[in-house]
Amino acid sequence: MTDSLPVPDSPDTPAVPPPPPVHWFADVLASDGRVVRLRPITAEDAQRLQQFHAALSDRTRYLRYFGPYPRISVKDLYRTTHVDYHDRVGLVVELGEQIIAVGRYELLDRPGRRAAEVAFVVADEHQGRGLGSILLEHLAGSAAENKIETFVAEVLAENITMVTVFREAGYQVERSRDGSVLHLEFAIDPTEALVSVRDARERASEARSVGNLLAPGSVAVIGATPTPGRVGGVVLANLLSGVFQGPVYPVNPNRRSVRGVRAYPTVRDIPDEVDLALVAVPAAAIGSVLDDCMAKGVKGLVVLTAGFAETGPEGLAAERDLVAAARGHGMRVVGPSALGIANTDPEVSLNATLATILPARGRIGFFCQSGPLGAAILGEAAARNLGLSTFVSAGNRADVSGNDLLQYWDTAPDTDVILLYLESFGNPRKFSRIARRVARTKPIVAVSSGRLAARAQPTGDMDRSIVRDLFAQAGIVQVDSISELFDCAALLGYQPLPAGGRLAVISNSTALSWLAVDAARGEGLAVGDPVNLGPQATPGAFLDALVAALRSDETDSVIVVFAPPVPLPMAGFADAIRAAIAAVPDAGKPVLTTFVAEQGIPNLLAERGPGGTAVRGSIPSYPDPERAARALARVRRYAEWRTKPVSAVVQPAGMDTEAARVLVNEWMGEAGERWLTDLETVRLLDCYGIDVVTFREVRTAEEAVEAAEALGYPVAAKATGEIWRRRPDLSGVRLDLWRPEAVRQAYRDLVEICGDPVLHIQQMAPTGVGCILRVQDDPSFGSVIEFGLSGLIIELLGDRAYRALPLTEDESVALIDAPRAAALLSGTPASPRVDKAALVELAQRISALFDDLPELRELSCEPVLASPTSAAILYARVRIGPEPSRFDVGPRRLA
């Protein structure tokens, strides 16, 4: 591609460029999982850009400029670095202080759709890392902000790499050829295909990034010491005793060797490459260590050291500086204050943790944040004989998060079940998006700390309801404790999923069998009378009963409870249960057991694999039948969610997104964050086909009468002050006003009560069931929609349903049906069935509104009167504000 360049003082080349847009700065993962930094080009980049250009091979320069171009001219350099970030934009990708790729677009002077010419070039040694695709994504994002609709590119036909970048970007590319030059043109609208390509690239790069950490070729322990009680001593001992398959390099300036392994004064002094560095030095010494790692080209850091964000604002600032510097040099960071990471794959054998016990090899992946809790979790997993494939304790989660691990485990062939202990989310919308996809093939079990549930509000029940509903929406098996986490993991990891909710209970104890039945029924499982074999039941009796249950078409799962009347050997009964399952190999039904005489949780029924760990087909055993029933019920709900077809996000007809965006931009420019007025709210909602029952704002009694005449009787008169809108006694409302004098009297009464002459005169809506629909920002989950019936008692009971946005078609229906009181919407002997489809459509329109306009912070439609013919909104409020910094849209970037 060639440029026709003006002289430096050309009118369209600013002598003093404007400041670059801050939100265009981004850390992005290349296709090899390494971090690169992308930012707008500035005038200060001139010298480094010259160096970048000079280092390009003759072949690369030829393909980019269509001929020899050994030195970038002064005019080109000036034009490239002096941009307006609107009609002409330049972006650079850098690693450390070095520019490794450059991209730019420039507005074309042609009629019709706004179009810009785009081009980019990547340093030879960094080609093949997907940097061209990254530049194209971010250039398209900035162009869309500047109302550019189309990109045009001129590419040599022999430049196969560049043609491939455009072809595989997900755009609908139109091609024409003029001799050896291809002319490419494509719209940059974010189509479904484009988003799918972006997400696939994000998934692959994030998985590879975590893979680089969990399967390093070499490890350095910075702060290694022979002292057993020190962090550097513990992690080094675990690495060596775990028989890590690569070289281990202790780093200690005061020792020639540590634990018999040669030590080095700094990371720089290590003669070979270092993939992973474990940092175990005080927080105050991190700076020099980081400099050494960046100079050495280390790929990843696991910071075991504490003393960062958890200590206060200064520690938080130091933590952010650490992550920014590491990412700027291509590194990912686990921690700080991390317990460490582990990979039990025999070809890796990485135990880079501070834990005293690491479970054996298995097919369960585990992510947590808390270090001390992580150690306890690992100990309990080992005690239960649950093997792990990989383990990551992220500590403060300054960089690597649960989202990264979900991307990795999604395609990890050695992981079947994912366990999460969560205290916060790095990017809530992204977490929901990834979890929904991953849970379709691999179960995710999560326990959320009270800290997560309490982030939105200090009260308890509603916050726990949000966590419960949103986890269920994403297909996550939510539990309330570590014990329940492993109860579910033992079932999901070793037994098939139940095909239905029909349970058979087999026991030799009447009391315990009914305990299991009651617990299962309480969890929504269908249970008939238990099979009671009597206290004198033999192993053969258990075998016959279990075989019969597994062969029955009326059974989907079985709980076996054994409580010997006197101390008896357990082996015969365990063998009988194994034999019964072996006799019906194609049953595909989960079997759970409880051996009441055993202390703790026995492993009698575990099928042993290499290293003594349980393998697929092992039969989980629980200390009591109630825990077995709870675990089974949770797994059953997950199995049911997984069988439902994937539903699409709904975009109802009759929405004018552009008009709404113009309004929001206008209002944001005026005052930033604020509540919209009632009339502004009506204008905004009208753009999305969301109708508030028509009203007029009045300031005198005569205006009230005129409004009533215009709207048509009957009407309602309403006080507009916030304290009057939600009063259950309706003292700020006068309903069913049929005559002018009634309107005048209502106006006078309300003004006397509230002291405000501004009232609303509103058409009367059809009688119906009062409902509420709200959307608000949750610190943990992003934008959350809430639905429930209105009323003081229902609100006190917390009978509300929650879903993360955007809503799919099925989720919209499920939201309206979810509250316990929603049965009233289907009709009762005293009231007719309401138009639930209208409520569903209203939820879908609200979802689309928030998905399209990230400046919307909060919305309340209350009340909504659901009648047999409509869902009428009587009052709505909207709050707008700056877009959240971690909104999950646009080009790929690390949060």
Side-chain angles (χ1 to χ4, degrees), residues 577-747:
I577 294 173
R578 287 197 192 93
I581 294 174
V584 195
D586 299 326
K589 300 175 182 180
V591 176
L592 302 79
T593 66
T594 292
F595 281 72
V596 178
E598 286 291 317
Q599 295 297 316
I601 301 175
N603 293 312
L604 292 173
L605 307 186
E607 301 293 339
R608 305 291 177 168
T613 188
V615 298
R616 190 74 180 171
S618 298
I619 306 167
S621 188
Y622 298 86
D624 62 70
E626 290 176 304
R627 282 176 60 174
R630 283 198 299 270
L632 178 61
R634 285 186 167 97
V635 171
R636 166 58 196 149
R637 286 192 285 270
Y638 163 70
E640 184 178 15
W641 174 90
R642 186 160 139 169
T643 59
K644 293 178 181 177
V646 178
S647 178
V649 173
V650 179
Q651 287 288 329
M655 301 188 304
D656 192 343
T657 302
E658 189 56 37
R661 190 169 285 122
V662 169
L663 289 175
V664 170
N665 289 341
E666 175 186 338
W667 296 328
M668 286 287 294
E670 292 177 357
E673 181 170 340
R674 68 179 178 91
W675 286 97
L676 300 183
T677 66
D678 293 338
L679 297 178
E680 288 172 339
T681 297
V682 169
R683 288 180 64 193
L684 176 63
L685 297 183
D686 184 62
C687 294
Y688 273 72
I690 302 172
D691 298 324
V692 178
V693 176
T694 306
F695 66 88
R696 298 286 189 273
E697 195 171 89
V698 300
R699 287 171 171 78
T700 67
E702 293 310 310
E703 286 184 7
V705 172
E706 292 174 5
E709 298 284 353
L711 294 173
Y713 292 104
V715 296
K718 299 182 178 182
T720 57
E722 187 59 30
I723 63 173
W724 301 102
R725 296 186 189 264
R726 297 184 61 193
R727 287 179 65 103
D729 59 5
L730 299 180
S731 58
V733 179
R734 297 293 183 269
L735 301 175
D736 286 315
L737 306 175
W738 282 89
R739 297 183 303 278
E741 187 52 42
V743 173
R744 291 190 184 92
Q745 186 61 47
Y747 179 87

Side-chain angles (χ1 to χ4, degrees), residues 388-403:
L388 299 185
S389 59
T390 42
F391 167 81
V392 173
S393 162
N396 293 356
R397 196 196 46 76
D399 179 19
V400 173
S401 70
N403 290 347

Side-chain angles (χ1 to χ4, degrees), residues 45 194 257 304 367 487 824:
D45 289 320
L194 177 64
S257 68
L304 308 171
F367 172 84
D487 285 349
L824 295 174

Side-chain angles (χ1 to χ4, degrees), residues 296-319:
K296 185 65 180 175
V298 173
K299 295 179 182 177
L301 298 177
V302 177
V303 182
L304 308 171
T305 307
F308 286 89
E310 71 276 10
T311 65
E314 291 185 5
L316 176 60
E319 181 174 291

Side-chain angles (χ1 to χ4, degrees), residues 361-441:
R361 178 70 171 164
R363 304 189 62 82
I364 297 173
F366 199 105
F367 172 84
C368 71
Q369 290 178 234
S370 169
L373 183 61
I377 289 171
L378 290 176
E380 183 164 350
R384 291 195 181 210
N385 202 35
L386 294 175
L388 299 185
S389 59
T390 42
F391 167 81
V392 173
S393 162
N396 293 356
R397 196 196 46 76
D399 179 19
V400 173
S401 70
N403 290 347
D404 296 294
L405 270 297
L406 285 177
Q407 300 277 43
Y408 172 76
W409 283 319
D410 183 24
T411 55
D414 64 349
T415 301
D416 295 332
V417 180
I418 298 167
L419 307 183
L420 305 175
Y421 182 90
L422 299 171
E423 296 176 8
S424 63
F425 298 110
N427 185 325
R429 284 175 60 98
K430 183 175 178 179
F431 173 81
S432 178
R433 169 170 59 86
I434 297 171
R436 291 190 208 198
R437 185 192 72 243
V438 175
R440 286 288 168 182
T441 55

Side-chain angles (χ1 to χ4, degrees), residues 165-180:
V165 168
F166 288 112
R167 187 178 67 241
E168 296 182 351
Y171 298 105
Q172 297 296 317
V173 180
E174 297 179 5
R175 299 173 46 165
S176 60
R177 183 163 181 163
D178 183 7
S180 62

Side-chain angles (χ1 to χ4, degrees), residues 43-64:
E44 288 74 28
D45 289 320
Q47 183 176 354
R48 289 198 296 156
L49 195 60
Q50 279 183 321
Q51 295 169 349
F52 165 79
H53 182 86
L56 296 174
S57 68
D58 292 340
R59 176 66 176 170
T60 296
R61 284 198 294 264
Y62 167 73
L63 293 176
R64 167 63 178 87

Side-chain angles (χ1 to χ4, degrees), residues 264-322:
Y264 297 87
T266 70
V267 173
R268 297 178 196 241
D269 297 310
I270 297 173
D272 301 315
E273 291 186 358
V274 176
D275 292 333
L276 181 68
L278 309 179
V279 182
V281 300
I286 289 286
S288 61
V289 167
L290 182 61
D291 291 339
D292 291 336
C293 290
M294 292 188 298
K296 185 65 180 175
V298 173
K299 295 179 182 177
L301 298 177
V302 177
V303 182
L304 308 171
T305 307
F308 286 89
E310 71 276 10
T311 65
E314 291 185 5
L316 176 60
E319 181 174 291
R320 288 174 175 168
D321 291 343
L322 165 66

